Amino acid sequence: MRRLDRVERAVVALTALAVFARLVGIGARPFHWDEARVGYWTLRSLETGVYEYRPVAGGPFLYVVGRRLFALGLTSDAAARLPVALIGGLLPLGALLFRRRDPDRNGLSGGETAALATLLALAPPLLYYARVLRGDLPLAAFSLVAVGFAWRARDRGSRRALYAAAAAVGLALTTSGFVFAVFGCWLVAALLTVDEVRVRGDDPATLRERARSGVDALANRSVALLRAAAITVVVALAFYLPRGRVDLTEPSTLLSALEAGTLGAMQRFLSVRVLGRYAPPTYTNDHPLLPFVAGTAEVLLATALPVVALAVWGFFRERYAGRSRPLVNFAAYWAGAGLLLFPVASEVSQPWVAVHVLVPATLPAAVGLTALWRYARASISAGDAARVAAALLLLSAAGVHTGAVAAGEVYDDPVAGDSLPGYAQPGFEYQTAVTAMEGAVEGNDGTDVLYVGSDIVVDDESALDSPPVPERAQAAFSARLPLSWYVERADAETASVAEPDAMSSSPPPIVVTTPDHRLAVGDRLSGYDRYTIEQGLTNRRLIVFVTERNGE
């Protein structure tokens, strides 16, 4: 067995550090609104035995993987986040895909490969969203890995790498509807990378010859490309197929499931994510572009300034250093296109959009970081104290900024001024009420939780079992999140009434109400502890009464 070289050992060590950093305290922060929605519907799909892709709920990847975990009884916040944490933690290994074989070839040097692994392991937004049950980090990770394997297939003529790239694309298709924004970024980046050769003034005959060579290469590998396309389809189909609808004794159910997982899934996506947002008269994606772009840029500068600065420097240094590498330029153009395309694709301006820009930006940033490191080493060898001090100061500032953001936003209790959590993220104190509720539900017969108030009442609780939630219940469902996840996780029976006067004389062990009903509800309860829970960082508050008999 071949021994790992120095670069490979460094990347493996950084990967181990990345996994550790993502798993430490992963369950300390309560579920965000979006996490709770995914967790709740996953649990309900296990209860009903049926799961089917719905665009409003995001891609099927988290649901299918979550069903496997939850079926084993692994329903804690930490366990639910584990798949995303492992994907983010193992992502630094992907840096090895971009390592070149020799100095004369396109790709990253050994030092740049290690730098890329460092950035993927430690960039605060990537660290934060690898600890969140959302599809953004998996999408960005699978996209980067797909490009890495595709480049490796082209650079080394490897069919295995081509098939691995196809599988990664298939996985990316299952994570989020944002995958089509990724495809758009790839297209823009490819066009700009190809056009750069023309801009540099290369001979037109040479350009035509390269184009012909590229077409011939595709023709010669047509069989391999068809196999790769089949792999992409099979991987995606494995997640999009409905669960609980196939009866092997009835072949028609298999055909129905195949239709629902292919044409049906595409039709639903187009009707909800495209026609439902962009076609008149239902056009809803009318947000101004510049504020959304500015919001994403603000998150990047606040939480990943060193990576952004290094990426800009690395790109321009690469472009004007006389050895412009298409791979690095492609990644830079991908990041730049993402800064525009993802805000266009977003319905709301949220901090997780920055992940899709930051991941490709780590490639040119790795070039910039390596150049800065070499500059510092050369200055030390030359005995230039001023240059050494300048280089070390920049490196130290990058480290301090990264550490400060990680300590203040990744691991600390979220506050309203933080850039990464989003407004629908509760604080650490939420767990106190959750623990009391879990104790009160245990051993109780009948209704466990009663929701009181017109803002959280639902006529039929089963209407919340799967997306899309009926319009009449959407506001109440949103107001309950993320509490609904914890109630469902405790296997609690729920009911709701619009007013305190409708409460029975024998209330259940848990009563949840809104602040405007807290006094009226409290007057009707005896022997209950009261908890005020913040459903988010701003203006999302509920009052929870928990019986004292099993509380504390």
Side-chain angles (χ1 to χ4, degrees):
M1 181 181 294
R2 183 180 69 86
R3 297 182 60 183
L4 300 179
D5 61 29
R6 183 175 61 180
V7 172
E8 291 168 335
R9 290 196 300 270
V11 171
V12 169
L14 287 164
T15 301
L17 175 63
V19 172
F20 176 77
R22 283 151 179 78
L23 295 181
V24 170
I26 190 175
R29 188 177 61 250
F31 262 19
H32 182 280
W33 188 95
D34 279 346
E35 292 182 284
R37 189 177 64 154
V38 172
Y40 177 84
W41 281 329
T42 303
L43 284 173
R44 293 306 303 154
S45 75
L46 282 177
E47 180 71 20
T48 62
V50 176
Y51 168 74
E52 188 170 358
Y53 165 67
R54 297 295 182 184
V56 295
F61 180 83
L62 295 178
Y63 295 93
V64 173
V65 175
R67 280 169 58 91
R68 294 283 186 178
L69 283 175
F70 294 172
L72 297 174
L74 302 175
T75 58
S76 67
D77 291 356
R81 291 166 173 157
L82 183 61
V84 178
L86 292 178
I87 292 170
L90 296 175
L91 183 57
L93 285 176
L96 294 171
L97 297 174
F98 300 97
R99 188 183 182 189
R100 65 191 178 207
R101 288 184 292 175
D102 58 70
D104 296 328
R105 297 186 69 85
N106 183 25
L108 302 183
S109 66
E112 291 167 340
T113 302
L116 175 58
T118 301
L119 296 173
L120 292 173
L122 300 179
L126 305 186
L127 177 56
Y128 184 92
Y129 284 106
R131 297 158 58 87
V132 174
L133 186 63
R134 279 192 57 88
D136 297 276
L137 193 284
L139 170 57
F142 293 144
S143 300
L144 184 69
V145 169
V147 169
F149 274 119
W151 177 82
R152 199 177 185 89
R154 179 183 180 277
D155 183 62
R156 305 190 181 187
S158 170
R159 290 195 175 188
R160 289 183 179 179
L162 176 63
Y163 299 151
V169 171
L171 288 172
L173 283 166
T174 70
T175 55
S176 170
F178 274 157
V179 68
F180 292 100
V182 173
F183 293 160
C185 291
W186 285 352
L187 177 61
V188 171
L191 292 174
L192 292 176
T193 302
V194 171
D195 188 62
E196 186 176 307
V197 179
R198 179 190 63 81
V199 173
R200 285 204 308 264
D202 285 16
D203 181 57
T206 302
L207 297 179
R208 287 193 294 270
E209 180 61 30
R210 290 179 179 175
R212 281 194 294 268
S213 298
V215 172
D216 291 342
L218 292 176
N220 293 334
R221 306 186 72 177
S222 58
V223 174
L225 290 172
L226 288 174
R227 290 174 180 168
I231 290 172
T232 297
V233 171
V234 169
V235 170
L237 188 60
F239 286 86
Y240 278 96
L241 278 177
R243 267 59 179 176
R245 286 182 48 177
V246 176
D247 183 353
L248 295 180
T249 64
E250 294 288 341
S252 61
T253 62
L254 177 59
L255 294 177
S256 175
L258 285 172
E259 188 278 333
T262 53
L263 294 177
M266 287 188 286
Q267 290 172 352
R268 284 191 294 271
F269 178 84
L270 290 174
S271 64
V272 173
R273 295 300 188 190
V274 181
L275 298 178
R277 290 174 59 188
Y278 297 98
T282 59
Y283 182 84
T284 60
N285 198 49
D286 57 352
H287 63 70
L289 175 61
L290 289 181
F292 274 48
V293 173
T296 302
E298 183 179 346
V299 172
L300 287 167
L301 294 177
T303 62
L305 178 59
V307 181
V308 173
L310 288 168
V312 172
W313 183 42
F315 169 69
F316 283 108
R317 184 181 184 279
E318 187 75 12
R319 184 178 177 87
Y320 297 109
R323 61 179 190 90
S324 184
R325 287 172 285 183
L327 175 64
V328 177
N329 292 335
F330 176 88
Y333 293 136
W334 173 7
L339 186 59
L340 296 176
L341 291 183
F342 280 97
V344 170
S346 301
E347 294 185 53
V348 292
S349 181
Q350 291 290 352
W352 48 75
V353 175
V355 170
H356 301 285
V357 180
L358 190 63
V359 166
T362 55
L363 266 81
V367 173
L369 179 58
T370 305
L372 182 58
W373 178 254
R374 289 172 179 167
Y375 178 84
R377 293 183 61 183
S379 300
I380 293 173
S381 300
D384 190 332
R387 291 171 59 187
V388 170
L392 293 180
L393 180 62
L394 290 174
L395 289 170
S396 299
V400 169
H401 182 276
T402 300
V405 175
E409 299 212 20
V410 177
Y411 298 107
D412 199 10
D413 194 5
V415 296
D418 286 349
S419 299
L420 290 175
Y423 69 89
Q425 173 62 61
F428 288 175
E429 76 284 347
Y430 201 90
Q431 300 289 6
T432 304
V434 169
T435 301
M437 290 170 56
E438 290 172 341
V441 168
E442 188 175 354
N444 183 65
D445 294 325
T447 301
D448 300 298
V449 179
L450 177 67
Y451 292 97
V452 180
S454 58
D455 292 339
I456 53 178
V457 68
V458 175
D459 295 335
D460 180 8
E461 294 288 327
S462 65
L464 310 180
D465 283 353
S466 62
V469 173
E471 186 174 353
R472 68 181 186 279
Q474 287 178 2
F477 182 62
S478 298
R480 291 181 182 185
L481 291 171
L483 187 65
S484 299
W485 152 253
Y486 295 102
V487 170
E488 184 63 29
R489 193 179 72 177
D491 197 23
E493 294 292 330
T494 61
S496 60
V497 295
E499 298 294 336
D501 292 341
M503 293 173 59
S504 69
S505 57
S506 300
I510 301 170
V511 179
V512 181
T513 189
T514 52
D516 53 322
H517 289 311
R518 68 183 185 278
L519 296 179
V521 172
D523 290 342
R524 289 168 170 78
L525 299 175
S526 177
Y528 283 70
D529 291 326
R530 189 179 75 179
Y531 299 87
T532 299
I533 59 172
E534 299 290 346
Q535 297 278 78
L537 297 179
T538 56
N539 197 29
R540 288 175 61 88
R541 180 175 297 173
L542 289 178
I543 311 300
V544 180
F545 293 90
V546 182
T547 183
E548 296 176 351
R549 58 182 179 178
N550 290 320
E552 302 303 328

